[in-house]
Amino acid sequence: MTGNGLYQQIKDIITPLIDDAELTLWGFELGSGQRMVVRIYVEGPDGVTIDQCAKLSRHIGLTLEVEDVLSDAYTLEVSSPGLERPFFTAEQVSKYIGKPVSVVLRDPHDNFPGRRKFQGEVKSVTNNTIVLTLPNDEGDLTFDWDDLKKAHLVHIFPDTSKGKKKK
C-alpha cells in the first residue's frame, strides 16, 4: 500500500495513541530518501514536553511494528510543531491572521511569473483559499491550498537589544 492509503493507515494508527496521551495531532509527514522518515507533530493545551514526545514515540513505534505498516527501515520523529510550525490544513493557517508565513507553491503563480516562494502576512482564509499580503507593496497573493507544496509560520524574535547601536 502506498501514497494516500499508507498516509491514512498511519493516521488511523497514531491518532488514538496521541489522543490517549491527551495530546492532539497537529500533522505528520512522510519523507523519503535513503530511509523513510515518519515525522509526527503533536501539541497539548500547555505545549508538549520532551518526555511526552519520547513516551509517545515508543508507543507509536511499537504499534507501527506490530501492525507491520512500513516494510522498509524508517526513522520515527515525534515533536512539537515549534515556533515555525508547518501547516497541514488551510484551517490551521486561518488561526494566524496577521502573522507572517512562508509558502512554496507547486508551480509558479500566474501573477508572479517564475516565482513559487513567498513570504507575507496572512490576510484571510476562506475555505481553501488563502490570501497573503506581500511586503514592499507587492500586493496580495491569492492561492488555493491544493496549489501549495509547503507552508510554515515565520517566527519573528523580539528585539532585545538595549540602547543605541555602536558605530
Side-chain angles (χ1 to χ4, degrees), residues 23-126:
L23 298 171
T24 56
L25 176 64
W26 177 259
F28 75 97
E29 53 197 13
L30 303 176
S32 58
Q34 290 183 358
R35 184 180 190 136
M36 177 184 272
V37 176
V38 179
R39 190 169 291 117
I40 301 169
Y41 299 99
V42 295
E43 58 179 6
D46 299 318
V48 61
T49 67
I50 292 172
D51 289 340
Q52 287 173 305
C53 289
K55 184 177 179 181
L56 189 55
S57 180
R58 285 190 297 274
H59 287 134
I60 289 172
L62 287 171
T63 305
L64 289 176
E65 292 298 320
V66 168
E67 296 290 330
D68 198 26
V69 177
L70 301 166
S71 56
D72 295 330
Y74 64 93
T75 300
L76 176 63
E77 297 176 4
V78 177
S79 71
S80 158
L83 294 175
E84 294 208 337
R85 57 190 52 222
F87 293 113
F88 295 92
T89 66
E91 182 183 352
Q92 289 174 332
V93 177
S94 71
K95 297 173 185 169
Y96 292 90
I97 301 292
K99 301 292 184 188
V101 298
S102 176
V103 300
V104 178
L105 303 175
R106 294 185 193 285
D107 299 304
H109 195 278
D110 291 342
N111 295 346
F112 300 89
R115 190 167 164 197
R116 297 181 321 118
K117 296 179 181 181
F118 299 89
Q119 185 170 317
E121 285 188 2
V122 179
K123 183 175 183 179
S124 67
V125 179
T126 307

Side-chain angles (χ1 to χ4, degrees), residues 140-152:
D140 289 345
L141 172 72
T142 302
F143 60 92
D144 189 81
W145 177 260
D146 294 334
D147 296 333
L148 200 59
K149 184 174 181 180
K150 62 182 177 177
H152 69 86

